[in-house]
Structures are given as C-alpha cells and as structure tokens.
Amino acid sequence: MSVEVTNETQWNIEPKIFSDLGIWVLDQMRVSTQSDLTVLFYESQAIAELHERWMNLSGPTDVMSFPMDELRPGDGKTVVEGILGDIVICPEVARQQALAAGHTTMEEMLLLAIHGMLHLLGYDHTTSEQERQMFGLQRQLLLTFLAQLPVGTTQAWLEDGDSSATASPAGQGATRISGADGDVPKKDVEE
C-alpha cells in the first residue's frame, strides 16, 4: 500500500504517523495493500479555494476527500484494491476545532484523516444513523490507533513553536474525541 503524505503548510508534521495511520486504517477496513492514498496538508487559503471550487462553500474547512476508484471496505473474504483518493487537511482549522473540543491539534488531524478515509470508503453522515455509525467507527479507530503508539510520538507544531499543537503522550489522561464538524451534502468531494 502506498500512502503519500505532503505538507504544504508552515506546520512541522511528521509524515510517517499519517502514513502509518493510513496503512493501519485501510488494513482494519480490509482494503488491499495494493491501494493508494494521498494525505495533503494545506494552509487555510488553499483549502478555502478548494472548498469554494468543489463544494460551492466559502471559507476554509477542516478536511476534504476526493475519491478516485470508489473503493468500499472488504467483507473479510475479499480485499478491495485500487486508488482510494486524496484527503486534504487544514491544520489551522484543526487547531481551532481541537481547542473547542478539548484535545490536541495532532489528535484532531488524526481524527480528520480517519474521517476523510471513511468518506473515501463510502461512509457519510447525512442522516443521524449514518452519523452515529461513521463517528462511532472513526472514534474507535482513532482511540485504538493512539493506544498502540509509543509514548510521545504524536506531535505537530508551528514553526514559531506553538505548544498548543502538541499532543499528549498516548495513555496519559483521558482523551475526548468528537466528530468532525459540518454536514455537507454528498457530492464528488466530501468533507
């Protein structure tokens, strides 16, 4: 499986954790190791332009998903392969949401990456039942992934040394994880 991570922001983000997350989540969802995924980090202005172009909505958003081969989770007997698509995450919006939710920016960006992957796999949250299922699954995936990480491996920060962006070591204190904001009608691009 190929998970390409590109950071086009001022944030120092370790790409390996997002690559590892992508491989792990897709394995959990029974997607083939021959599948490809791209995770991109964009500044607020760049994601706002994508948001306007693809969703007809103004302003920056937290995460956008661009599906390619419309892969779906495997059923345990078969494993699906192909190009999953691209996920674009805005660290600045993630930081604002993390502060409001009471967890770290890094935890929020990991949550948003999982949220984007689930959209690429056909999950949505347009109804309350879909939202319950999708947000429950993304929470379970995130908490399980964080629990297996070595202490101190989840950090991201701005060039100016903003400490509010760093994550607590896994296993220290309670982690409150909530769903991604916004219910947007399903189109070619998903938030």
Side-chain angles (χ1 to χ4, degrees):
M1 174 174 303
S2 168
V3 178
E4 181 181 329
V5 180
T6 302
N7 181 9
E8 297 186 10
T9 72
Q10 295 181 9
W11 287 72
N12 287 316
I13 299 169
E14 174 55 49
K16 184 174 180 344
I17 193 165
F18 287 92
S19 178
D20 290 349
L21 175 69
I23 291 167
W24 185 82
V25 167
L26 297 179
D27 179 64
Q28 297 298 304
M29 300 303 294
R30 307 282 194 267
V31 177
S32 171
T33 57
Q34 300 303 309
S35 300
D36 296 317
L37 169 67
T38 302
V39 180
L40 303 137
F41 294 93
Y42 279 8
E43 296 289 358
S44 295
Q45 182 58 39
I47 203 166
E49 290 170 12
L50 290 175
H51 203 210
E52 175 72 32
R53 179 178 179 193
W54 294 101
M55 303 297 293
N56 249 355
L57 297 171
S58 62
T61 189
D62 52 3
V63 62
M64 295 182 73
S65 301
F66 297 86
M68 295 294 283
D69 289 343
E70 297 189 20
L71 301 181
R72 298 296 178 253
D75 60 10
K77 298 174 189 148
T78 59
V79 179
V80 186
E81 66 180 66
I83 299 173
L84 193 58
D86 300 339
I87 299 168
V88 181
I89 297 172
C90 181
E92 188 55 40
V93 174
R95 176 167 61 169
Q96 294 165 5
Q97 291 178 181
L99 288 170
H103 53 255
T104 68
T105 302
M106 187 61 167
E107 290 167 334
E108 184 71 15
M109 288 191 298
L110 291 168
L111 175 74
L112 293 173
I114 293 169
H115 185 86
M117 284 182 248
L118 292 178
H119 271 307
L120 293 177
L121 290 170
Y123 286 85
D124 209 341
H125 47 89
T126 55
T127 69
S128 59
E129 178 57 30
Q130 289 175 332
E131 180 178 310
R132 185 189 63 74
Q133 180 185 21
M134 182 176 180
F135 287 13
L137 179 57
Q138 75 187 20
R139 181 179 189 280
Q140 175 189 359
L141 288 167
L142 177 62
L143 293 177
T144 305
F145 180 76
L146 288 174
Q148 70 182 8
L149 291 178
V151 173
T153 58
T154 56
Q155 295 187 8
W157 61 92
L158 284 169
E159 286 295 331
D160 67 3
D162 179 5
S163 62
S164 70
T166 60
S168 304
Q172 292 187 1
T175 303
R176 242 181 349 126
I177 304 296
S178 60
D181 289 343
D183 287 329
V184 178
K186 188 173 182 175
K187 295 185 180 179
D188 291 332
V189 178
E190 306 204 34
E191 292 184 287

